[in-house]
Amino acid sequence: TIMAKSQLIKDIATNSISIEESLQRLLLITSELDNPLISKWILSEINGYHRQATLPDYRRNIAYKLIYSGINGNFQMKNQPLPLHNFSERFRDSINESNIYISIKSIERIIIRDETVCEDLTYLAPDILKNTNIMCYEISKEYSNLSLEQLLSNIKSKLILFLINLEHQFGNL
């Protein structure tokens, strides 16, 4: 087997540099290729995607759970699961859409610090009250860190494969 000669590939493969730094270096390398699609992808990963952008598959359908705090009957509830079917049908599609638009640096920071990415859905509390008689004072959509780690892994694999391809075409990067 032929080992990659380029230091950048080795750095990415051994986690010596962040995915963000890898993307920045790739941007420098590809600046002379005049490939707007590659540049757009790299910049979107570095800066985050616009809401209207078509997201790569690995940034779509991120696993999540719905949780609430509030009063259910006579019980004070804190951070309890809230099934999607408790919401009116007209809200379900938008709630179920779970795409990640934030920058790669933010995702890396979230993983390193073991933080949680949540979307506040408390504005839908009246809908839950109407449908279930549960009085919510907090509703959150919490994204799975495992899915975010998978997203990073996908980008890392794409980077390595792309760089190996460039190395074959142009030699040591």
Side-chain angles (χ1 to χ4, degrees):
T1 53
I2 299 170
M3 280 295 287
K5 296 178 280 305
S6 302
Q7 187 61 45
L8 178 55
I9 297 172
K10 292 175 188 170
D11 287 346
I12 296 168
T14 59
N15 297 318
S16 300
I17 60 174
S18 68
I19 303 291
E20 184 197 32
E21 186 178 336
S22 306
L23 287 162
Q24 290 167 337
R25 288 191 192 177
L26 181 60
L27 190 61
L28 289 171
I29 292 168
T30 58
S31 63
E32 304 199 4
L33 293 181
D34 196 32
N35 185 330
L37 278 176
I38 294 296
S39 299
K40 183 179 180 182
W41 174 73
I42 295 168
L43 287 170
S44 295
E45 291 297 341
I46 291 172
N47 299 322
Y49 285 82
H50 296 289
R51 283 282 176 185
Q52 294 76 27
T54 303
L55 291 177
D57 285 344
Y58 57 82
R59 280 181 168 266
R60 300 168 52 112
N61 302 314
I62 302 299
Y64 69 88
K65 63 182 175 184
L66 297 169
I67 52 176
Y68 82 98
S69 295
I71 299 167
N72 188 348
N74 294 329
F75 298 100
Q76 180 80 31
M77 308 301 275
K78 186 125 178 84
N79 297 328
Q80 293 301 304
L82 186 63
L84 186 60
H85 71 260
N86 286 357
F87 293 89
S88 293
E89 215 169 298
R90 66 188 177 116
F91 296 121
R92 289 183 200 159
D93 284 346
S94 64
I95 292 169
N96 208 23
E97 186 179 292
S98 56
N99 300 329
I100 295 291
Y101 295 91
I102 59 178
S103 71
I104 204 67
K105 181 177 186 154
S106 297
I107 295 170
E108 287 182 301
R109 190 192 72 229
I110 288 161
I111 298 301
I112 289 167
R113 295 182 180 172
D114 197 25
E115 294 174 343
T116 306
V117 179
C118 286
E119 193 176 323
D120 184 14
L121 300 179
T122 307
Y123 68 94
L124 293 171
D127 185 60
I128 294 297
L129 181 62
K130 185 183 84 191
N131 297 337
T132 65
N133 278 333
I134 298 172
M135 196 178 305
C136 299
Y137 50 79
E138 192 176 336
I139 304 172
S140 299
K141 178 176 173 180
E142 189 177 295
Y143 291 94
S144 158
N145 279 20
L146 203 57
S147 290
L148 295 179
E149 287 175 20
Q150 186 63 49
L151 189 157
L152 285 179
S153 182
N154 274 299
I155 294 172
K156 182 177 173 178
S157 300
K158 266 178 101 82
L159 274 169
I160 290 171
L161 290 171
F162 185 73
L163 287 164
I164 288 170
N165 187 22
L166 283 179
E167 189 179 73
H168 286 308
Q169 287 180 42
F170 302 105
N172 205 342
L173 303 173

